[in-house]
Amino acid sequence: MSLTKMFQKMNKNIASNWSNFKVHMLQNYGENPGNMLVHTGTLGWILSSLAQVGAVVFNDKISPEQKTFLIPQEIADAAVNILSFYALTYSLKCFGAKLVSTGKLRTKRIRNFLERNELMNKVGKLDFDVAKQDNFSPLADHYKSFKNGVDVVTSTIGSIISCNILTPILRNQYASKKQKKAIANMQQHNMQNIQHPRGISIADYQKLASMKFSNSSGLKI
Amino acid sequence: MRFIFLGECVVITKIFNRITNTPIYKGVKKNIRRFEQGALDLLPDATFNKPATVKLIGDIGRDISSAENRLILGVSALMTQPFIDAKNKNVDEETRKVSVCRTIAKIIAGTFTGYFIRKGCIKAIKAWSKIPAPGIPKYKTLFTPKGARSTNNEAFKQYQNAMGTVAALVVMLFSNFLIDAPLTKFLTNLLVKNSGGEKQ
């Protein structure tokens, strides 16, 4: 196969994939803005967490002692942020969607529809879906607009709880544990490098060195 | 190539069917459903009677894109995260102070770049996803999906928001390192300096 033909085939493939990607985006997110917020939000957190960890790692002005706290804090922040964002936001979004689809959360128009079709006894049952009932089509636009609104509200509430309340609490606990461990390791390493002094016992010297180390650091836990 | 792909699909479907037929999977699924039903039963039915409330919920679904969502997250983060860090008794005072300053700096830098990049990308996608027509340059249809006939419908607007957000994520691959990180560092140093601590 000549180079031109190969290039043409590659171009065709790229064009076809790009076209499929656009159609996929339209089909998946066009009708579901809540899903889009959750998925792109998760991707966004992954990327920004990478940058934040990098910012601490490459900042020479942060002391090694503080880095022992800040780097685990950033990594914990990233892991908890990403996991809690996805798990909590997605669960809350799905629960909100279920509330609307089972008729638990409804507008006056939806309630009138349910009453008119004698469906009130099915409201709140997991298998019941308002959108799958007969004569639903006149209500479709109103229902979709309401459902999308609830989706966005629940996913926003989920992301606020996960990123702004749950994450800082969890990451601080995790990071402080990591910091304690790292400082203990650092102290142990320093002890191993101490040379045996003359005229003083090794136990006394270790005690002195330990006191000196703990006073020189700003990090006392 | 096509046969290999089809073969892979068949294998995946078989594995999936085998997993979904296991008693463990069925048991877990049954319990999840029971939990979901329990949660639904706990909540009372609610009807929004006021047209203004229903309109507001509809508007939120239509108008809140990822940019506004990022702004809401940033503002609420400023109201909670620094206080949580300030109350962290597991670290000494100096580290706690740096941690609070860094959290504030991170939120400001992240929200600022996150909001404007998302907003800008969504605007750009809106400009470059026109319906093909005589007089419309080809580059303005670069993001138009195949078969789209009108830009004036809800699904298409949400598509533009989604595509804009994806484009923003690509831009943020670079801006996180070029703008976010230096801005966070600068703001952290400024806040630490103003709070009486050493420059980081």
Side-chain angles (χ1 to χ4, degrees):
Chain A
M1 192 187 284
S2 73
L3 205 67
T4 326
K5 271 190 180 174
M6 226 168 86
F7 190 69
Q8 276 173 348
K9 198 180 173 188
M10 207 170 78
N11 250 352
K12 210 174 161 184
N13 276 342
I14 292 170
S16 153
N17 284 338
W18 174 237
S19 177
N20 289 342
F21 174 69
K22 288 186 285 186
V23 173
H24 175 83
M25 291 289 287
L26 179 65
Q27 283 170 350
N28 281 281
Y29 299 124
E31 301 288 336
N32 207 334
N35 257 358
M36 185 273 288
L37 285 180
V38 177
H39 293 160
T40 55
T42 311
L43 257 175
W45 280 119
I46 293 171
L47 297 177
S48 82
S49 303
L50 274 175
Q52 295 299 341
V53 174
V56 180
V57 172
F58 299 114
N59 190 346
D60 326 326
K61 287 172 186 168
I62 295 180
S63 68
E65 285 87 0
Q66 281 174 343
K67 274 189 185 179
T68 58
F69 174 72
L70 292 172
I71 294 172
Q73 188 192 37
E74 288 304 331
I75 294 170
D77 195 14
V80 177
N81 242 332
I82 295 160
L83 286 174
S84 74
F85 181 85
Y86 189 75
L88 197 81
T89 311
Y90 191 67
S91 307
L92 258 180
K93 190 203 85 72
C94 287
F95 190 64
K98 264 281 178 258
L99 284 175
V100 178
S101 68
T102 58
K104 271 277 204 190
L105 198 64
R106 64 214 168 207
T107 63
K108 202 176 173 182
R109 260 184 85 180
I110 297 171
R111 192 187 60 197
N112 289 344
F113 167 80
L114 293 168
E115 281 172 351
R116 211 171 35 245
N117 291 285
E118 294 171 356
L119 294 164
M120 285 305 278
N121 57 337
K122 289 181 180 172
V123 165
K125 299 279 180 286
L126 214 52
D127 296 322
F128 179 64
D129 189 346
V130 178
K132 285 179 183 162
Q133 304 308 308
D134 296 335
N135 314 321
F136 173 75
S137 45
L139 196 70
D141 283 344
H142 170 80
Y143 173 81
K144 204 188 288 172
S145 159
F146 178 66
K147 192 170 177 288
N148 282 349
V150 173
D151 262 15
V152 171
V153 171
T154 47
S155 44
T156 306
I157 292 172
S159 47
I160 289 173
I161 296 171
S162 66
C163 297
N164 299 341
I165 298 168
L166 199 66
T167 306
I169 294 171
L170 292 178
R171 67 134 194 244
N172 282 348
Q173 280 178 1
Y174 172 81
S176 61
K177 267 183 200 165
K178 280 274 172 192
Q179 186 197 30
K180 277 178 194 173
K181 208 175 163 187
I183 288 181
N185 283 343
M186 209 185 281
Q187 279 178 328
Q188 205 176 14
H189 178 75
N190 282 3
M191 291 298 179
Q192 279 165 1
N193 291 340
I194 294 168
Q195 297 218 330
H196 195 295
R198 284 178 188 172
I200 186 170
S201 76
I202 190 73
D204 286 342
Y205 187 71
Q206 278 181 344
K207 203 175 162 187
L208 277 171
S210 158
M211 279 167 68
K212 193 184 170 202
F213 181 83
S214 64
N215 285 337
S216 67
S217 168
L219 294 158
K220 293 177 212 85
I221 313 163
Chain B
M1 193 76 172
R2 199 177 178 85
F3 289 119
I4 294 169
F5 179 70
L6 284 173
E8 280 172 351
C9 284
V10 171
V11 171
I12 291 168
T13 313
K14 273 186 179 173
I15 293 170
F16 185 74
N17 284 342
R18 194 162 281 185
I19 293 168
T20 52
N21 280 326
T22 56
I24 297 172
Y25 180 86
K26 283 179 182 169
V28 170
K29 203 177 170 190
K30 199 176 166 186
N31 280 323
I32 289 174
R33 278 186 70 80
R34 201 178 289 166
F35 175 77
E36 279 180 327
Q37 187 61 63
L40 278 176
D41 292 342
L42 268 177
L43 290 169
D45 292 12
T47 307
F48 292 105
N49 286 316
K50 284 183 184 169
T53 316
V54 176
K55 189 181 173 295
L56 179 73
I57 295 171
D59 287 349
I60 288 172
R62 195 173 48 250
D63 298 332
I64 299 250
S65 68
S66 61
E68 285 80 20
N69 187 267
R70 185 70 188 85
L71 196 63
I72 294 169
L73 268 182
V75 172
S76 54
L78 268 181
M79 293 190 287
T80 55
Q81 287 199 28
F83 299 100
I84 293 168
D85 281 349
K87 290 222 176 281
N88 182 16
K89 301 288 178 205
N90 291 321
V91 288
D92 71 294
E93 205 177 325
E94 189 58 34
T95 308
R96 205 182 306 144
K97 199 193 280 176
V98 175
S99 171
V100 170
C101 292
R102 207 182 132 63
T103 299
I104 296 171
K106 205 166 80 173
I107 296 167
I108 294 172
T111 307
F112 177 78
T113 51
Y115 175 76
F116 283 106
I117 289 170
R118 279 177 175 88
K119 202 75 186 161
C121 286
I122 290 170
K123 211 173 171 186
I125 295 292
K126 279 181 180 167
W128 295 333
S129 55
K130 304 267 184 218
I131 299 297
I136 300 270
K138 210 178 172 186
Y139 73 89
K140 286 196 173 178
T141 63
L142 185 65
F143 291 94
T144 314
K146 204 174 164 184
R149 291 204 177 91
S150 160
T151 55
N152 203 20
N153 61 65
E154 193 46 39
F156 197 81
K157 279 179 189 163
Q158 294 301 345
Y159 159 78
Q160 287 172 323
N161 282 343
M163 209 55 161
T165 311
V166 171
L169 290 177
V170 176
V171 174
M172 281 191 286
L173 269 178
F174 302 97
S175 73
N176 274 335
F177 293 98
L178 299 172
I179 305 171
D180 258 48
L183 190 61
T184 303
K185 193 176 160 182
F186 169 76
L187 289 171
T188 306
N189 289 338
L190 196 76
L191 290 168
V192 171
K193 199 179 158 190
N194 286 339
S195 65
E198 272 179 46
K199 198 178 170 189
Q200 295 304 303

